[in-house]
Amino acid sequence: YNEDAEKLFEVEGQNLKGLSVVNQYKNPGDRTIFISHFKKKGFVKDLEVEILSFKGHEKTVSTSSIPFEDKEKGKVLLTVFQDITDRKRYENQLELYRQNLESLVQKRTQQLEDSNARIQSINKEVLEKNFELEQTLQRLRETQAQLI
């Protein structure tokens, strides 16, 4: 018996034999997708689906399946489930971090653009005031020259 299958489906090894996982799909539509892939290609490779263990716990698996000729049962499907629950959780966390980081970058970029606009506005005012002061100083020099 397969310890990984026991752990994934939360059932003891001796009880695994002959169990059908058909009803373990969390989303019945995933079973339809599985069948559609199988009919189209003759096999299924790395299809990600959510399942329920026999104790009702949600898990995410990558499943692959090929037809197999069993001497006793005839044609059966040899199906492999890989538990990717932790990986999907980490991927989801990374996506949340990425979105948060993207949001922070957008906010900071907007702050920098606003600051830059304020600096340009202040710079323009300073240049205008400087020009006005230079004109006033020039007029004062001209007035002073007339008075002397």
Side-chain angles (χ1 to χ4, degrees):
Y1 295 99
N2 184 320
E3 284 182 28
D4 290 333
E6 289 180 25
K7 184 178 173 184
L8 177 64
F9 290 104
E10 297 180 315
V11 65
E12 292 183 22
Q14 66 269 17
N15 296 327
L16 268 175
K17 190 173 184 178
L19 277 181
S20 172
V21 295
V22 169
N23 296 320
Q24 299 315 118
Y25 286 89
K26 180 183 173 193
N27 251 330
D30 287 346
R31 174 85 175 138
T32 304
I33 292 169
F34 177 91
I35 292 169
S36 172
H37 279 33
F38 190 82
K39 284 181 178 179
K40 187 184 294 183
K41 298 179 180 180
F43 64 92
V44 174
K45 182 168 174 32
D46 299 327
L47 177 65
E48 292 183 9
V49 296
E50 291 183 356
I51 63 164
L52 297 172
S53 73
F54 285 95
K55 291 186 178 180
H57 297 114
E58 294 180 9
K59 305 205 178 184
T60 305
V61 297
S62 173
T63 183
S64 297
S65 192
I66 58 171
F68 179 74
E69 188 72 37
D70 184 274
K71 291 180 182 177
E72 295 173 12
K73 297 181 182 179
K75 283 189 175 184
V76 295
L77 288 182
L78 177 62
T79 303
V80 176
F81 294 94
Q82 181 182 8
D83 188 351
I84 59 171
T85 305
D86 290 338
R87 185 186 90 196
K88 293 305 281 186
R89 187 177 70 244
Y90 295 138
E91 287 174 357
N92 291 337
Q93 286 176 340
L94 282 172
E95 178 60 21
L96 290 174
Y97 292 144
R98 185 196 65 74
Q99 289 173 0
N100 184 46
L101 182 59
E102 187 175 306
S103 174
L104 291 172
V105 168
Q106 288 175 350
K107 287 178 186 175
R108 185 63 182 141
T109 299
Q110 186 61 51
Q111 290 171 341
L112 290 171
E113 288 173 354
D114 293 347
S115 294
N116 191 34
R118 282 193 301 275
I119 289 169
Q120 288 178 357
S121 176
I122 291 169
N123 188 39
K124 182 179 176 184
E125 287 179 33
V126 167
L127 288 174
E128 289 172 356
K129 294 295 179 189
N130 189 34
F131 181 73
E132 290 173 12
L133 287 173
E134 285 180 19
Q135 287 182 331
T136 302
L137 183 60
Q138 181 62 31
R139 284 194 303 271
L140 284 173
R141 284 185 186 139
E142 291 171 359
T143 303
Q144 184 182 18
Q146 290 173 357
L147 292 174
I148 297 182

